[in-house]
Amino acid sequence: MLEEVRIQGLGVIDDAVLELSPGLTVVTGETGAGKTMVVTGLGLLFGGRADPQRVRPGADRAVVEGRLTVPAGGRVAERVLEAGGDIDDDVLILTRAVSAEGRSRATMGGRSAPVSLLAYLADDLVAVHGQSDQQRLLRTDRQRSSLDRFAGEQLARAAKQYTLAYRRHREVTSELEELVERARERAQEADMLRFGAEEIAAAEPLPGEDAELLAEETRLAHADGLRVAATTAHEALAGDPASDVEVDVAALLSAARQAVAAVREHDTELAAIGDRLDEASYILTDAATELASYAESVDADPGRLAQVQERRALLTSLSRKYGETTDEVLNWASNAGKRLADLDNDDERIEALRAEADDLYEGLDRSATELTRIRTEAADRFGAAVTEELTALAMPHARVSVRITTGEELGQYGRDEVEVLLAPHPSSPPLALHKGASGGELSRVMLAIEVVFAGADPVPTFVFDEVDAGVGGKAAVEIGRRLARLAQRSQVIVVTHLPQVAAFADAHLVVEKSTEGLVTESGVVRLDRPGRVRELSRMLAGLEDSELGRAHAEELLTNADPERAYPAA
């Protein structure tokens, strides 16, 4: 709800503060006093077009500041916090400044914000119905959503079912399109994987085979040297059996053992050394035996060497493509098999998705048809209700209808495009709202629509300007009654020149100019009951103190008392 609006430097308004209340607030004043600037200021505050010509002559800029209460956790509060703004005790401060040069600046919750963000928030905060303001319900998307709410629970259930199916259909078709678009890539990948798997399978590599072959190749390539080295080492340790000369290590070690053994009992230290010589003899004997065996086993085999080298070359070619080692090559082949299975399953997945998409589309088609049926029935009820309201609002020949255009494509809300049409006269063709009515008529049409939509498409605050243009008498009373009815659900602010409308207000503000022709803060006055009588008398008779005018004013207020949203105000 709007709690307070301050306007500076806008039109004839120098500096004015409007303290607003729940229910219906009317703003009155003499012609030229600046009443319409109130609506203009509210339009600016909620993202309306900035016109530098509206800046008061002599002022650098026009500034509008609004204080609103917004529920914590609501969409507006969440959007403000996302943009970095602050909300203090559920109070949000919005400002809009327009310079005389045409530059525009907005702040939201103490943080600079784009004007478009104010307009975005306005959808959930206010509906401004003025001569030149963009109307919320002139947008066809809003008309569709409003009609859907008006249609009630039956359409809500059908729409929920449709929305769930629509989202699933979008998910399925998106996945299907991706799989189909990637079919060539998947085929190329499968061919590459299949070729690699077949190449590896043909080679039949074994785990660790590359390391084993490398060791064998090295041994075969150095067989002669290895055999000579082993023979030489054996002769050095154990001697040559064909020679009578004992110059080998074994003979020398044996002589050392015999020398120590002869006297070892005389000294434990020497005995310990003898034990070590015995151990060394055993180790030397084992080494000599192994060297002899190794020398006999080493055999230069050029044929086997060639086989090993050829096998290693094959494994090396696989390693260049699929992994550094044989184990990595085998792991690649295993993963390739799994991926091939996945790729083969994609074809089955595509067929399954196509079948699911077809089933979902058939269900969506039936749901969209049901939505169209319910909307059509609701549109008839809505058109008849608004037309009836217009009859009481001095537009007895006007006719409102809703055109539902059903297309071929299924969208987020079905197939329907919804547009509210107005035929102001029996001979007039139905036209879009902004084409079928003048400014004053459009405000009355909007009032009738808002009254019919009340509760179905709630907005916290409504602002009307010129809603009573060109009417009077009983029609004016009916306009006031409907504004009061709308104020039972929302805050309503109305600029009016008709006492029949003003009498229904819960709060009455009067705009007065100073002697310099400007509106100052003190020039916006909230009237008590006696003050309202005087103001209504002025509006009725042109004289504040006219006895007849005052009596008539009292009668208007008394008759309107039962209709007010806040009778005690």
Side-chain angles (χ1 to χ4, degrees), residues 148 151-163 371 374:
D148 284 359
E153 185 62 27
Q154 183 184 15
L155 190 135
R157 289 195 300 268
K160 182 178 181 180
Q161 180 181 357
Y162 178 89
T163 300
L371 288 176
I374 299 173

Side-chain angles (χ1 to χ4, degrees), residues 489-541:
R489 294 180 177 271
S490 304
Q491 181 186 40
V492 180
I493 302 168
V494 179
V495 174
T496 182
H497 64 277
L498 291 182
Q500 295 94 327
V501 173
F504 284 90
D506 300 296
H508 190 150
L509 303 179
V510 62
V511 181
E512 298 176 343
K513 287 191 295 184
S514 66
T515 55
E516 292 82 10
L518 300 177
V519 177
T520 62
E521 181 176 350
S522 60
V524 179
V525 180
R526 187 184 182 99
L527 301 178
D528 56 13
R529 182 82 175 203
R532 295 187 66 182
V533 172
R534 289 194 300 272
E535 175 65 8
L536 293 181
S537 178
R538 180 197 64 79
M539 297 171 72
L540 284 164

Side-chain angles (χ1 to χ4, degrees), residues 366-399:
R366 291 191 298 270
S367 294
T369 301
E370 178 67 5
L371 288 176
T372 300
R373 183 190 67 78
I374 299 173
R375 284 187 181 125
T376 301
E377 293 177 356
D380 293 340
R381 298 197 309 272
F382 168 77
V386 176
T387 299
E388 183 178 352
E389 289 290 328
L390 289 178
T391 300
L393 295 177
M395 296 180 66
H397 303 297
R399 186 178 74 259

Side-chain angles (χ1 to χ4, degrees), residues 193 331-345:
L193 293 173
N331 187 54
W332 187 95
S334 176
N335 292 334
K338 296 176 182 177
R339 178 59 179 157
L340 279 169
D342 291 340
L343 293 174
D344 291 339
N345 288 336

Side-chain angles (χ1 to χ4, degrees), residues 342-378:
D342 291 340
L343 293 174
D344 291 339
N345 288 336
D346 279 352
D347 293 335
E348 298 177 3
R349 178 63 177 161
I350 287 175
E351 293 304 317
L353 288 174
R354 281 176 175 161
E356 185 178 1
D358 290 342
D359 290 341
L360 287 169
Y361 187 87
E362 291 179 4
L364 282 174
D365 183 60
R366 291 191 298 270
S367 294
T369 301
E370 178 67 5
L371 288 176
T372 300
R373 183 190 67 78
I374 299 173
R375 284 187 181 125
T376 301
E377 293 177 356

